[in-house]
Amino acid sequence: MYRWRAWRSAPAIKETTLRRGALRWPVLIIAFVLGLPSLTGCAINKGTALAADFEEDWAGTPDVAKTRTTKNNTLPFKGTSTGTLILKDGTSADRVTKLVGEMREYVARHDKITGRITADGITFTVVADEGRTGEVLALWRSLTADDRAADADINDAPWKEATDRWRIEVTAVDATGALAAFKDMLADGGRHRPLAGVMVLKVVGPGLFVESDFNDGFPAEAIAAYEAALAQYPVVRATLRRDAVSGSAVSIVVAEGVDRDHAGELARRAAPNLGAAVEVTSDSAG
């Protein structure tokens, strides 16, 4: 009888132990999940948390009409965010300058947040470096005074070895203004002082799209081809774009009835190194 009772009691002890262990697991899992944010001092969705922080930190700032944020949650506990202050219409240049200074200090303390400001139709990135930010602010001032520019975007865009690199996009009121503004922004002595470092520039206006060549430089031959055709024939639209092979490629559409072959000859003669990258067609072909 004693052996039989001992044999019967063993499963009961084992079952009790298993039940106690099973009860501990949900408690441990819950404790682990609740404790995840405290493991690194940040949220699991880092980008979302940064965006929320930006909105909270800048809420109620005078002259700010609204804020706009993006969220980039790359991995648990890792991510970035971009926060943009959209200023009220009529905000003074002095007030914009003050907010730029405050934003520069903010992004210096929050390296995972990109800070941007929109004022008078121009959006620009504010970086921690005081010198670079000063250059961008000066460009903002000159663009707001340029009646050829309708709006613009100035963005910090480091790439490979070019860490001090800007990408600038400007919308001009017409094709003439687009080309003039483009030249000003890449040449010393123009209305706009060129930014230091490598710069990708794109200017768009009705009838013209022009951007820096594939090496981020002035597309001299592409512009020469366009101007050669334009000097003798009406041009409906043209695209002077970046091209990995030729550096810059040219597409020109002349008005219907124009001697397209001669216009093409003029354009290619002005840009001998571009060769087949220069294309001239007639508006009637479209």
Side-chain angles (χ1 to χ4, degrees), residues 74-146:
T74 53
L75 292 170
F77 309 112
K78 291 186 178 181
T80 58
S81 176
T82 296
T84 305
L85 303 181
I86 302 173
L87 306 190
K88 296 177 181 177
D89 292 339
T91 301
S92 69
D94 288 343
R95 177 59 178 157
V96 173
T97 301
K98 188 174 187 304
L99 285 170
V100 168
E102 293 175 3
M103 179 65 79
R104 187 186 68 78
E105 294 175 355
Y106 184 85
V107 296
R109 297 192 307 268
H110 304 81
D111 63 340
K112 298 302 181 182
I113 296 180
T114 298
R116 313 197 76 207
I117 292 177
T118 299
D120 288 340
I122 298 172
T123 302
F124 56 95
T125 299
V126 178
V127 297
D129 184 88
E130 188 173 4
R132 295 185 72 211
T133 291
E135 287 185 352
V136 171
L137 183 58
L139 181 56
W140 170 81
R141 287 177 180 271
S142 63
L143 282 172
T144 56
D146 190 345

Side-chain angles (χ1 to χ4, degrees), residues 36-258:
L36 279 176
S38 63
L39 292 177
T40 61
C42 60
I44 296 178
N45 294 321
K46 178 75 170 181
T48 301
L50 290 171
D53 289 344
F54 183 90
E55 292 174 353
E56 181 180 351
D57 292 340
W58 292 94
T61 302
D63 300 309
V64 174
K66 61 180 178 180
T67 59
R68 182 173 60 238
T69 58
T70 64
K71 312 168 186 66
N72 182 23
N73 298 308
T74 53
L75 292 170
F77 309 112
K78 291 186 178 181
T80 58
S81 176
T82 296
T84 305
L85 303 181
I86 302 173
L87 306 190
K88 296 177 181 177
D89 292 339
T91 301
S92 69
D94 288 343
R95 177 59 178 157
V96 173
T97 301
K98 188 174 187 304
L99 285 170
V100 168
E102 293 175 3
M103 179 65 79
R104 187 186 68 78
E105 294 175 355
Y106 184 85
V107 296
R109 297 192 307 268
H110 304 81
D111 63 340
K112 298 302 181 182
I113 296 180
T114 298
R116 313 197 76 207
I117 292 177
T118 299
D120 288 340
I122 298 172
T123 302
F124 56 95
T125 299
V126 178
V127 297
D129 184 88
E130 188 173 4
R132 295 185 72 211
T133 291
E135 287 185 352
V136 171
L137 183 58
L139 181 56
W140 170 81
R141 287 177 180 271
S142 63
L143 282 172
T144 56
D146 190 345
D147 56 7
R148 300 169 304 187
D151 58 62
D153 188 285
I154 308 167
N155 199 7
D156 184 35
W159 185 68
K160 293 186 177 179
E161 294 83 10
T163 54
D164 292 347
R165 183 174 185 266
W166 298 98
R167 177 178 293 277
I168 304 174
E169 298 184 9
V170 178
T171 302
V173 296
D174 54 36
T176 302
L179 187 56
F182 184 88
K183 290 179 176 180
D184 274 353
M185 295 181 71
L186 283 180
D188 291 325
R191 184 181 302 190
H192 307 291
R193 187 176 66 183
L195 299 180
V198 180
M199 185 169 66
V200 181
L201 175 63
K202 178 194 301 182
V203 181
V204 181
L208 181 64
F209 174 105
V210 55
E211 62 183 339
S212 52
D213 65 26
F214 201 76
N215 296 313
D216 300 334
F218 186 76
E221 282 202 280
I223 290 176
Y226 168 71
E227 291 182 322
L230 183 64
Q232 292 200 33
Y233 299 108
V235 173
V236 177
R237 58 188 175 275
T239 301
L240 318 181
R241 67 186 186 278
R242 293 163 62 86
D243 182 81
V245 177
S246 61
S248 185
V250 181
S251 175
I252 300 172
V253 180
V254 295
E256 185 176 0
V258 163

